[in-house]
Amino acid sequence: MRPFLIGGALIVATTWPSFALIHTGHLWAIVIGVVLFLALGHAMVYAPLPALYCEMFPTSVRYSGISIGYQMASILLASFTPALASAMVLWADGSLWMVTGFVIVTTLIAMAAIAFAPTAETAN
């Protein structure tokens, strides 16, 4: 759980600098922005997720619980995110402040959800 929370904090800290670098349109700035965002926070968030998901469900329903939860979140949230981000950029006249705010707010929500999620650590 700690790597997820540290990774979430790194995502919050690197979102604006990463998007600002990507928005410049210069190749090396884009590469640095993507690497900064993905290599720091994103990797630390995604690496512990399989183990964390396993701790959330008892063995008898683990496969179904993980699958249903993950796929429903993908359908309901992730599928609309690219269209929503595009709309935000249009509404903000090309500025990325709404998109960066969206990333930061959703990351903070995910961090709060994980911080309060029942796991094997909290069950004892």
Side-chain angles (χ1 to χ4, degrees):
M1 184 177 321
R2 188 173 294 131
F4 185 97
L5 297 176
I6 293 169
L10 286 170
I11 287 174
V12 169
T14 61
T15 297
W16 181 256
S18 296
F19 277 54
L21 285 167
I22 293 166
H23 195 58
T24 65
H26 299 293
L27 177 63
W28 285 108
I30 293 169
V31 170
I32 292 168
V34 170
V35 168
L36 178 68
F37 190 77
L38 294 178
L40 293 178
H42 189 266
M44 286 189 75
V45 166
Y46 268 77
L49 278 183
L52 190 60
Y53 288 155
C54 287
E55 290 182 359
M56 290 181 174
F57 296 97
T59 308
S60 61
V61 295
R62 183 170 293 156
Y63 188 79
S64 298
I66 293 170
S67 181
I68 291 169
Y70 194 85
Q71 300 311 320
M72 290 303 290
S74 294
I75 291 167
L76 297 175
L77 301 173
S79 62
F80 297 109
T81 300
L84 184 59
S86 296
M88 286 183 208
V89 171
L90 289 174
W91 290 332
D93 292 325
S95 176
L96 296 177
W97 70 268
M98 288 180 78
V99 177
T100 56
F102 177 75
V103 171
I104 290 169
V105 168
T106 54
T107 301
L108 292 172
I109 292 169
M111 290 171 65
I114 290 297
F116 295 105
T119 62
E121 289 178 3
T122 60
N124 294 330

